[in-house]
Amino acid sequence: MSGGSSAESTAGNPVAVVAQGVDMDFGTGAMAVKNAAFSLERGRFLTILGPSGSGKTTLLRMIAGFQTPTRGTILIGGRPADAVAPHRRSVGMVFQKLALFPHMTVEENVAFPLKMRRFNPREIPERVAHYLDLVRLAGFSKRRINALSGGQQQRVAIARALVFEPELLLLDEPLAALDRKLREEMQLEFRRIQKELGVTTINVTHDQREALVVSDEIIVMDQGEIQQQASPVGMYRRPANPFVAHFIGVSSFLTGRRTGTGLTVNGTECAGQAVDDIAPGLAAQGAIRAEQVRIAAPGGDLSGCDTVLEGQVSDSIFEGERLLYFVRLPALETTVQIYHHDPAEQAPYARGATVSVGWNARDLLIFPAKDR
Amino acid sequence: MPNPSPDFRYPLRWRLMDGVERLADTLWPRSMSRHTGWLFITPAILLVGLLVLGLIQIGDASLRVLDTATFLPSEDWSLTNYRKALASSTYLTVAWRSLSGAVLVTVLTLILAFPYAYALVRVRKAWIRKALLITLFLPFFIGQVVRAYGWLIILGNSGMVNEALSLVGVAPMRLLFNYGAVVFGLVQYMLPFAVLLLVPALTAIPEETETAAGSLGASWPRILWHVLLPMAKPGLIGAGLVVFTLTLTDFAVPAMLGGGSQDYIANAIYDQFFRTADQGLGSALALMLVAAGSVLVGLVFMVFGAGTLAMGGRK
Ligand SMILES: Nc1ncnc2c1ncn2[C@@H]1O[C@H](COP(=O)(O)OP(=O)(O)O)[C@@H](O)[C@H]1O
Ligand SMILES: [Mg+2]
């Protein structure tokens, strides 16, 4: 069986992966995955994002067919994920710890799936060379795995998972161990390779930046449950609940009661817009991103802001291209975070300085109050 | 002195340690500390030195022929003992039996030990692992002689196995005092050694590597052949060498389960030293055993590289 023939079997099916009502119960208390449902079209790059222990690996292993769901179904190209033995599936996986074969050279590692899947031996060297080229390791074919850097080993693992042209590529936090610079480089590599080959890909990470950079779609998980599935832009602009707003980007949260035009916090009216319908008077939670809050000298220009309040700078953090202010708002009895760009053009506000703070009604998202 | 009160005393253990430290400082001044490493390997050097001295003695004895009239070794040196040993078909048979037996026992032991060690490393339930360990070590505590005696009871002409066979109408079989019985006894004796030497090698192979090989298209026999065995090679070679040398030089199992008809080299040497009292011939046989063992171990190192035994693998 070759990757090519199995890819054809899904040619008429635009949906590559469907999960319905998937539970995973290890019998150790809380379920690792609860009622997961999603679908992914062919050729798309999906990232499953969530904090450590949220069930990402468990979900991915079920998609890979290494584990059978306690309840529910996962279909890959219309067939249950674990319907055939692992070595007959058309799924390439890059493991968190890479799981390369240290007793083989780079070339032998990449040729391994081709030999195991009985590709034509005359085709193998050419294919291996092609995929090593794709991951920019052309000159390294004779090297031993131990003689490669972390980033190079990463690429070998990717080439090895792709070389047999699987229907589906699964990545389990493969970049987590790399330093930041290399990680960001590899994220762009992932994106390039995935676009070049068009292989349906599911990536797991706890790094929100990575999810935003590489994906066509993101699923956010928390405590075994899928919180939201959306495009990176959609997820960022329209988080479905406070958890997602908290996990992606930097947001400040306001707790109060729903009013006709927004939220009243500690008796102060804050302009905002509700994500779900919430009856006025009910407890609600507002979230606003740090870059949507504007800061100015007292009485300074905050034109266009629907809510303007006074506060004191309690701390500021220099992040290079921007400053992050923590401003205490006595009226709301809370502190908000504010990104302020281009601080070079003016002296930064000192700690303790009084400032004006404002935002637009459409940027304060109001959610029903949840216990979070 | 930061003593809280005049009659305060440090605990006895502390004062003892202080004394020991002062004593050590006098005997081995701090200025000598860069030579301390040598101090620690001195016992090993002494032991090896004694061994070398013994070997020289044996070498000397092996060159002297026993005078059957006076029962004294000859004054002058000759290679007569070696010639006698090599010309004797008895000793060639014994040598062949030991060597082929050692190879066979090594292969069988590794074949049995590998799955056992694999199960020990991979099994998830702690109680199964404990049961496996106890089963492995229980015979260890019994000792070689008692164990061999146990086999005599079980496998003897009126032993448990033959009793059971007679119940189903099979005539008693000779299960003891043959080549098979010795090999069987040796494999059973060597199994724990081999398992213990394989466990670290298999622990070093992440389970994920096997899962990965499976997802890349390898069925389990191919995972075993292409991934597990090559990655466990250092452990297999180490275990093989230990089992081989221990078997080649074993005395008790061939003596007891072979019943005198299945002597290994060690038994022949024993006979020369303690029965015939021909020290010269015994020494020659002993040296030839040492030489054969060293050459074989040397060959293994040459073929696989001495580095294979180090867990890190070759550069
Ligand atoms: N094999 C297992 N047996 C028991 N519990 C497990 C097993 N694998 C994962 N879990 C539990 O399931 C939860 C989710 O784990 P995991 O999927 O690894 O999370 P993530 O990959 O998001 O960090 C955790 O609480 C973890 O302890
Ligand atoms: Mg994980």
Side-chain angles (χ1 to χ4, degrees):
Chain A
M1 185 192 90
S2 80
S5 68
S6 47
E8 276 159 32
S9 66
T10 54
N13 182 2
V15 181
V17 184
V18 193
Q20 279 163 347
V22 173
D23 284 352
M24 186 70 208
D25 192 346
F26 287 112
T28 50
M31 280 199 274
V33 172
K34 264 177 276 180
N35 196 22
F38 69 90
S39 74
L40 181 65
E41 284 171 23
R42 280 184 57 202
R44 306 273 287 171
F45 195 133
L46 170 74
T47 295
I48 301 174
L49 174 67
S52 176
S54 57
K56 309 181 295 290
T57 297
T58 307
L59 183 55
L60 197 74
R61 289 180 67 89
M62 288 191 286
I63 298 168
F66 298 144
Q67 261 158 0
T68 306
T70 316
R71 265 176 298 278
T73 51
I74 298 176
L75 302 179
I76 295 171
R79 284 190 305 180
D82 57 353
V84 291
H87 64 281
R88 293 183 199 283
R89 292 177 201 148
S90 186
V91 175
M93 178 138 173
V94 178
F95 291 82
Q96 184 159 3
K97 287 179 190 132
L98 302 186
L100 294 170
F101 304 128
H103 58 292
M104 299 182 193
T105 62
V106 168
E107 199 173 49
E108 286 164 348
N109 265 279
V110 178
F112 184 83
L114 301 179
K115 287 190 185 135
M116 293 302 122
R117 288 169 189 262
R118 298 178 214 279
F119 276 62
N120 183 348
R122 270 169 300 164
E123 250 181 62
I124 292 180
E126 198 186 318
R127 241 177 204 272
V128 169
H130 175 74
Y131 277 87
L132 284 180
D133 221 32
L134 186 78
V135 296
R136 310 206 162 122
L137 278 179
F140 294 84
S141 54
K142 303 285 182 221
R143 289 260 196 117
R144 289 213 154 251
I145 296 301
N146 300 349
L148 296 180
S149 72
Q152 291 165 337
Q153 293 187 0
Q154 198 64 62
R155 288 159 207 252
V156 177
I158 295 165
R160 192 181 67 169
L162 283 172
V163 70
F164 60 100
E165 293 175 359
E167 276 178 67
L168 183 61
L169 177 66
L170 304 178
L171 308 160
D172 188 3
E173 306 213 32
L175 303 182
L178 302 182
D179 62 69
R180 189 177 145 193
K181 197 87 194 153
L182 193 53
R183 195 164 67 230
E184 290 177 359
E185 250 174 68
M186 289 300 300
Q187 288 166 0
L188 297 178
E189 286 286 88
F190 269 0
R191 210 184 140 74
R192 173 182 69 83
I193 293 167
Q194 198 269 340
K195 289 285 163 268
E196 219 167 302
L197 299 176
V199 57
T200 315
T201 303
I202 300 180
N203 174 44
V204 157
T205 186
H206 61 258
D207 176 352
Q208 49 128 341
R209 203 197 109 89
E210 176 180 324
L212 293 173
V213 168
V214 300
S215 329
D216 299 319
E217 273 172 67
I218 301 176
I219 283 179
V220 171
M221 283 188 80
D222 183 39
Q223 298 178 11
E225 285 180 276
I226 293 183
Q227 303 294 315
Q228 188 176 5
Q229 177 175 11
S231 69
V233 174
M235 178 93 48
Y236 194 84
R237 298 235 172 105
R238 281 261 158 200
N241 57 42
F243 176 81
V244 176
H246 173 78
F247 199 69
I248 298 185
V250 172
S251 298
S252 305
F253 291 90
L254 309 174
T255 309
R257 293 199 172 273
R258 178 80 172 114
T259 62
T261 54
L263 192 66
T264 143
V265 181
N266 203 32
T268 305
E269 178 70 17
C270 298
Q273 65 164 330
V275 174
D276 308 301
D277 274 338
I278 311 164
L282 284 184
Q285 193 171 30
I288 186 158
R289 300 226 176 265
E291 70 272 21
Q292 311 287 15
V293 187
R294 285 167 62 191
I295 183 168
D301 177 27
L302 288 176
S303 54
C305 286
D306 299 308
T307 300
V308 175
L309 295 164
E310 286 227 323
Q312 281 78 41
V313 175
S314 60
D315 203 357
S316 70
I317 294 167
F318 179 61
E319 292 186 357
E321 76 277 21
R322 65 192 175 193
L323 274 161
L324 175 61
Y325 285 109
F326 291 83
V327 176
R328 173 94 196 142
L329 301 177
L332 306 185
E333 286 190 346
T334 190
T335 299
V336 291
Q337 301 175 61
I338 305 169
Y339 277 138
H340 191 40
H341 283 263
D342 199 14
E345 76 181 16
Q346 64 180 75
Y349 302 106
R351 192 176 299 187
T354 299
V355 289
S356 274
V357 160
W359 63 79
N360 258 319
R362 68 173 145 76
D363 293 326
L364 179 69
L365 301 177
I366 299 170
F367 303 98
K370 245 184 144 182
D371 30 59
R372 188 165 182 81
Chain B
M1 282 278 121
N3 286 355
S5 71
D7 50 9
F8 173 83
R9 306 199 54 142
Y10 283 104
L12 178 66
R13 202 141 53 97
W14 292 20
R15 279 177 284 139
L16 276 177
M17 290 309 287
D18 281 349
V20 169
E21 207 173 308
R22 226 169 290 129
L23 189 70
D25 272 351
T26 344
L27 292 177
W28 192 262
R30 292 277 152 115
S31 56
M32 298 277 281
S33 66
R34 63 204 174 90
H35 304 295
T36 305
W38 290 104
L39 197 66
F40 282 110
I41 61 167
T42 309
I45 292 175
L46 285 177
L47 265 174
V48 172
L50 275 176
L51 216 69
V52 170
L53 279 182
L55 268 180
I56 292 172
Q57 275 264 294
I58 291 179
D60 174 76
S62 75
L63 294 170
R64 299 176 196 275
V65 187
L66 185 76
D67 185 336
T68 41
T70 59
F71 261 109
L72 285 173
S74 62
E75 287 294 311
D76 50 337
W77 284 359
S78 72
L79 288 173
T80 316
N81 284 327
Y82 291 93
R83 247 180 254 123
K84 203 157 125 194
L86 288 173
S88 147
S89 65
T90 321
Y91 289 136
L92 282 185
T93 313
V94 167
W96 172 244
R97 188 185 294 133
S98 314
L99 273 175
S100 66
V103 171
L104 188 62
V105 167
T106 306
V107 171
L108 289 178
T109 307
L110 289 183
I111 289 174
L112 292 175
F114 192 86
Y116 203 104
Y118 183 81
L120 260 181
V121 170
R122 288 283 187 262
V123 84
R124 288 198 207 284
K125 292 214 163 43
W127 68 266
I128 301 182
R129 187 172 314 124
K130 273 183 207 142
L132 285 173
L133 273 174
I134 292 170
T135 318
L136 187 69
F137 278 108
L138 215 52
F140 232 41
F141 300 138
I142 297 172
Q144 215 186 348
V145 173
V146 177
R147 192 156 13 144
Y149 189 70
W151 287 124
L152 294 184
I153 295 172
I154 292 169
L155 299 175
N157 279 350
S158 49
M160 277 154 59
V161 174
N162 272 322
E163 295 266 292
L165 285 176
S166 73
L167 286 182
V168 291
V170 180
M173 283 189 289
R174 227 178 89 105
L175 300 169
L176 280 171
F177 311 136
N178 53 32
Y179 189 74
V182 174
V183 168
F184 174 82
L186 281 168
V187 168
Q188 200 257 343
Y189 173 43
M190 296 299 165
L191 200 62
F193 293 109
V195 171
L196 277 191
L197 285 161
L198 282 176
V199 160
L202 288 176
T203 310
I205 305 175
E207 194 164 5
E208 215 169 56
T209 308
E210 286 173 61
T211 315
S215 81
L216 292 169
S219 52
W220 76 259
R222 293 170 136 222
I223 296 176
L224 177 71
W225 184 251
H226 292 284
V227 177
L228 275 179
L229 288 178
M231 284 180 78
K233 202 170 82 174
L236 283 167
I237 292 170
L241 279 179
V242 168
V243 171
F244 181 82
T245 42
L246 283 181
T247 308
L248 187 65
T249 55
D250 196 59
F251 174 80
V253 175
M256 297 188 70
L257 296 182
S261 68
Q262 299 294 330
D263 278 0
Y264 272 35
I265 301 177
N267 308 90
I269 296 170
Y270 178 89
D271 283 351
Q272 289 312 320
F273 274 111
F274 299 106
R275 295 230 173 103
T276 334
D278 187 345
Q279 285 212 11
L281 189 55
S283 301
L285 287 172
L287 279 185
M288 283 159 78
L289 176 60
V290 170
S294 310
V295 166
L296 281 165
V297 172
L299 270 179
V300 169
F301 276 142
M302 261 170 62
V303 173
F304 297 105
T308 46
L309 276 185
M311 296 309 294
R314 287 171 286 196
K315 272 274 132 72

